[in-house]
Amino acid sequence: MRTLVHNEVPRRAESPPAVTPHEHRRGDARWPVPRGLEAGEVGRLLTMLLEAYDGRRPVPQIRGLVAPEVLAGLSGPHLARPRHRLCRVHVCTPVAGVLEACARVEAAGRSFALAARFTRTPAGWQCVRFSLLKPGRPDQRAQRPAAA
């Protein structure tokens, strides 16, 4: 029986080449610019955020994917919530480096709307807005002012 020590490949002692801040901003091949997100990837990210919202996923797991304000909104006390299921996702790109998504979400036999906004950062994509829009009860409708 041979030990693994004899099969290991020696590591290179070289350090990676230094990258100037200008090369990093430019999107040099060594530090590529984060690529765009596909609709399927956005759906997976939104599912992860919904799991954190429901309390089924620990919030620290998504710390690198969300802005501090979104993290603070998800980190509050969790009440007993029904499981939210993502049904349909629509994605658009209003400007370069920004991605907006809306989705239909089902929970306890009801449908809700979800809206999210992702921005491109040097480290990757980050969710800067996350809103689960729940309808109010019919007796709590907002009064609209009359049009002038």
Side-chain angles (χ1 to χ4, degrees):
M1 180 187 247
R2 294 173 29 188
T3 61
L4 292 176
V5 174
H6 300 292
N7 295 329
E8 289 183 357
V9 177
R11 293 185 183 178
R12 293 177 24 193
E14 301 173 12
S15 61
V19 178
T20 65
H22 177 71
E23 287 174 331
H24 182 70
R25 267 186 257 116
R26 190 178 68 208
D28 192 88
R30 290 176 282 181
W31 297 94
V33 175
R35 62 179 179 72
L37 290 175
E38 301 295 325
E41 293 171 315
V42 172
R44 284 189 291 278
L45 289 172
L46 291 176
T47 299
M48 290 171 56
L49 293 172
L50 279 172
E51 289 171 353
Y53 177 79
D54 290 345
R56 294 180 289 130
R57 177 183 291 270
V59 176
Q61 282 188 1
I62 60 166
R63 179 174 284 136
L65 302 173
V66 297
E69 341 32 274
V70 176
L71 187 69
L74 294 172
S75 296
H78 290 288
L79 304 172
R81 293 187 176 129
R83 178 185 169 129
H84 290 82
R85 187 175 61 89
L86 197 66
C87 294
R88 189 142 178 110
V89 179
H90 301 278
V91 178
C92 72
T93 307
V95 294
V98 174
L99 189 128
E100 291 181 345
C102 63
R104 186 172 67 87
V105 176
E106 288 183 351
R110 296 187 66 191
S111 291
F112 306 103
L114 180 131
R117 183 178 179 106
F118 296 88
T119 58
R120 187 181 298 194
T121 65
W125 289 91
Q126 186 177 52
C127 181
V128 294
R129 297 275 187 239
F130 177 80
S131 299
L132 188 61
L133 310 170
K134 295 189 176 185
R137 293 194 321 252
D139 59 339
Q140 294 180 338
R141 275 190 252 165
Q143 298 293 326
R144 291 185 177 180

